[in-house]
Amino acid sequence: MSNFDLTGQTALVTGSSRGIGKALATALAQAGAKVAVHGRTVETVEKTATEIAEATGAETFAITFDVTSESEVSEGVKKLTDHWGTPDILVNNAGMQKRAKFSEFPLEDWQQLLEVNLTSAFLVSRAVAPGMEERGSGKIINIGSVQSQLARPSITPYSATKGGIVMLTKGLCADLSPLGIQVNAIAPGYFATELTQALVNDEEFSAWVASRTPAGRWGKVEDLGGAVVFLASEASDFITGQTLYVDGGMTSVI
């Protein structure tokens, strides 16, 4: 089990002040890592960092920067590097969703989804990679979605960005794995979070999720903990360029 121990490791999880990101940060902290909690508002990020530290006993660091801004990403990563050094683990979790009929989907919403869901992972990875390369090791974990492989009406741009995450992961694998850096992705299925609560409360939609998912239920954010710890640990040192679907079997059946 020592292969899964993250004691002495540092991690940056973008978009980790709530929901799936918070669960990922908590799981890494439980495995022994020091975790940088990231978000958009100082108060929320500091509150989450304190909660994780109190729940796990791990050291945490609250940090805020705009993941779509090249300059803010550079400044934020430098701030973290000055504090802990280059993180051993980067989890690109920041993301958003917008829904609309495709023929009426606003261009500005398409561009915002691209920036938040895909460009951010490129920018933060690019900012962290040189330090990982210099050290000769690192773990980058991108968060995709079941929509990385499957599409539904009204979320075409979202699906495109999450499909892009899979190919970004493979591209980073080609560039960075020879340098000792493993790059993988986690693609969650339908998870019950604050952001999906309206869908969870929709009886018809929840019934569809249960019927479409072999496991027969919505995912719980805790279901992602094992996957992120595995991909962040020595146990996955010969795994790179892969996407792990944590979806209750949804992508395996028709």
Side-chain angles (χ1 to χ4, degrees), residues 23-24 45 51 56 68 88 113 115 156 159 165 197 208 214 219 242:
L24 297 173
V45 173
E51 290 173 350
T56 66
T68 69
D88 299 287
L113 282 168
E115 290 177 357
T156 293
S159 299
I165 282 289
Q197 193 58 51
W208 176 83
Q242 305 304 306

Side-chain angles (χ1 to χ4, degrees), residues 7 27-28 31 33 38 54 68 70 85 88 115-116 144 165 193-194 196 202 207 214 220 241:
T7 300
L28 294 172
H38 165 270
E54 291 177 347
T68 69
E70 182 176 18
D88 299 287
E115 290 177 357
V116 175
I165 282 289
T193 68
E194 300 166 27
T196 60
D202 183 326
K220 299 176 290 186

Side-chain angles (χ1 to χ4, degrees), residues 105-117 119 157 161:
F105 211 100
L107 176 60
E108 57 268 26
D109 287 355
W110 161 265
Q111 292 172 331
Q112 187 179 24
L113 282 168
L114 279 174
E115 290 177 357
V116 175
N117 293 354
T119 302
T161 64

Side-chain angles (χ1 to χ4, degrees), residues 14-15 38-40 64-77 92-96 98 108-127 161:
T14 66
H38 165 270
R40 291 178 295 179
T64 60
F65 57 85
D66 181 354
V67 292
T68 69
S69 166
E70 182 176 18
S71 61
E72 287 199 31
V73 167
S74 296
E75 291 170 7
V77 170
N92 287 308
N93 170 73
M96 67 181 304
K98 286 181 177 289
E108 57 268 26
D109 287 355
W110 161 265
Q111 292 172 331
Q112 187 179 24
L113 282 168
L114 279 174
E115 290 177 357
V116 175
N117 293 354
L118 188 55
T119 302
S120 67
F122 163 78
L123 288 174
V124 183
S125 297
R126 192 184 62 175
T161 64

Side-chain angles (χ1 to χ4, degrees), residues 1-108:
M1 296 302 294
S2 62
N3 283 345
F4 297 90
D5 185 5
L6 300 179
T7 300
Q9 303 284 296
T10 60
L12 167 61
V13 184
T14 66
S16 51
S17 63
R18 60 177 177 170
I20 285 176
K22 181 179 180 180
L24 297 173
T26 300
L28 294 172
Q30 288 172 333
K34 297 188 289 187
V35 179
V37 178
H38 165 270
R40 291 178 295 179
T41 58
V42 174
E43 296 78 9
T44 304
V45 173
E46 289 180 344
K47 180 176 182 290
T48 298
T50 298
E51 290 173 350
I52 293 175
E54 291 177 347
T56 66
E59 183 179 345
T60 59
F61 182 67
I63 190 167
T64 60
F65 57 85
D66 181 354
V67 292
T68 69
S69 166
E70 182 176 18
S71 61
E72 287 199 31
V73 167
S74 296
E75 291 170 7
V77 170
K78 183 180 185 303
K79 182 178 179 180
L80 177 59
T81 300
D82 289 343
H83 184 68
W84 277 342
T86 297
D88 299 287
I89 303 155
L90 167 63
V91 181
N92 287 308
N93 170 73
M96 67 181 304
Q97 172 69 289
K98 286 181 177 289
R99 295 178 175 85
K101 182 180 177 181
F102 176 70
S103 58
E104 300 170 0
F105 211 100
L107 176 60
E108 57 268 26

